[in-house]
Amino acid sequence: MLFTQSLASLPYIIISIIIAFTVHEFAHAYVAYKFGDPTAQKQGRLTFNPIAHIDPIGAIFILIAGFGWARPVPVNRHYFKRPKLAGVLVSFAGPFSNLVLAFLGFGGMVLMQKLGIPTGTAFDLYPFLSMFVSINLMLFAFNLLPLPPLDGYRIIEDLVTSRVRAMMSKYEVYGSIIFIVLLVTGLSSQTITPWISNISAFFYNIFISIFY
């Protein structure tokens, strides 16, 4: 987790989190807006300004506990002509944006290598890009967990029937409790952590196959 990193990596982590959270929430707002929902846009969330998206407490939590959150983007499904399709795409847009950022970061690392830019210099971006890729892959995998209030859970809500969705909403609070228990008790190391590690490794290997 992030709190195991050295203090020297802290600036890289903070910058990566700010960028990752900002783009993630912007992606939610942008896709919702494109599907006809102006709610986030009217509340000033259709922006790359981190101040509009970062939750200070959530950012601190990701530093000390390895998980955190940004300010949720408000979405009004009543504006959508096709609520299920729009709902899935709006929910997936956030994690997908982190995957794209990870891909771009990895591309930057490869470019530095191919240009022969030496590491360890005053202008060495390699450690930052490496951390940037890791954090964005972690956020991609983490947010796709099928537990409320994460995006993975919201995607499942829109893929199931209305009847199942109603049942899920009824028991959603218990899912949130399970999520918290996993994190507090350390059981996340046998559940959430392997999920994140496996998904991250999978896409890391895909990046390698694309660039090499």
Side-chain angles (χ1 to χ4, degrees), residues 130-182:
S130 179
M131 182 63 67
F132 184 78
V133 171
S134 296
I135 287 177
N136 275 285
L137 284 177
M138 181 193 75
L139 289 174
F140 169 74
F142 178 77
N143 279 286
L144 286 181
L145 283 166
L147 291 171
L150 300 177
D151 297 319
Y153 177 82
R154 301 303 173 195
I155 291 172
I156 292 175
E157 270 192 320
D158 281 307
L159 291 176
V160 298
T161 63
S162 298
R163 181 179 179 183
V164 174
R165 181 185 177 91
M167 292 177 61
M168 290 175 65
S169 299
K170 183 178 180 180
Y171 295 103
E172 186 172 317
V173 62
Y174 299 107
S176 299
I177 293 173
I178 292 173
F179 178 62
I180 294 172
V181 168
L182 289 174

Side-chain angles (χ1 to χ4, degrees), residues 32-33 35-40 43 73-81 83 86 90:
Y33 181 73
F35 274 100
D37 178 12
T39 308
Q43 294 187 17
V73 166
V75 176
N76 188 338
R77 295 169 55 88
H78 294 294
Y79 285 104
F80 299 149
K81 293 180 179 178
V90 169

Side-chain angles (χ1 to χ4, degrees), residues 3-199:
F3 63 85
T4 63
Q5 302 294 325
S6 65
L7 288 178
S9 300
L10 190 59
Y12 303 144
I13 295 173
I14 292 175
I15 294 172
S16 296
I17 289 173
I18 290 174
I19 295 174
F21 277 15
T22 299
V23 174
H24 181 108
E25 298 304 327
F26 170 83
H28 283 313
Y30 179 79
V31 176
Y33 181 73
K34 284 298 182 179
F35 274 100
D37 178 12
T39 308
Q41 185 265 340
K42 289 180 178 179
Q43 294 187 17
R45 303 298 302 277
L46 199 61
T47 176
F48 283 114
N49 183 350
I51 296 176
H53 303 295
I54 299 298
D55 183 311
I57 297 177
I60 292 172
F61 259 78
I62 198 171
L63 288 173
I64 64 176
F67 73 96
W69 58 88
R71 291 176 55 206
V73 166
V75 176
N76 188 338
R77 295 169 55 88
H78 294 294
Y79 285 104
F80 299 149
K81 293 180 179 178
R82 301 177 65 183
K84 286 185 175 292
L85 174 62
V88 168
L89 294 178
V90 169
S91 295
F92 184 66
F96 182 70
S97 72
N98 294 126
L99 182 62
V100 172
L101 288 175
F103 178 82
L104 294 176
F106 192 89
M109 293 168 60
V110 173
L111 182 62
M112 288 186 65
Q113 293 175 341
K114 292 187 175 181
L115 291 178
I117 299 176
T119 59
T121 66
F123 301 99
D124 186 10
L125 289 176
Y126 201 89
F128 164 70
L129 290 174
S130 179
M131 182 63 67
F132 184 78
V133 171
S134 296
I135 287 177
N136 275 285
L137 284 177
M138 181 193 75
L139 289 174
F140 169 74
F142 178 77
N143 279 286
L144 286 181
L145 283 166
L147 291 171
L150 300 177
D151 297 319
Y153 177 82
R154 301 303 173 195
I155 291 172
I156 292 175
E157 270 192 320
D158 281 307
L159 291 176
V160 298
T161 63
S162 298
R163 181 179 179 183
V164 174
R165 181 185 177 91
M167 292 177 61
M168 290 175 65
S169 299
K170 183 178 180 180
Y171 295 103
E172 186 172 317
V173 62
Y174 299 107
S176 299
I177 293 173
I178 292 173
F179 178 62
I180 294 172
V181 168
L182 289 174
L183 294 172
V184 173
T185 62
L187 290 175
S188 59
S189 61
Q190 283 79 47
T191 53
I192 296 176
T193 300
W195 165 268
I196 293 175
S197 297
N198 291 334
I199 295 297

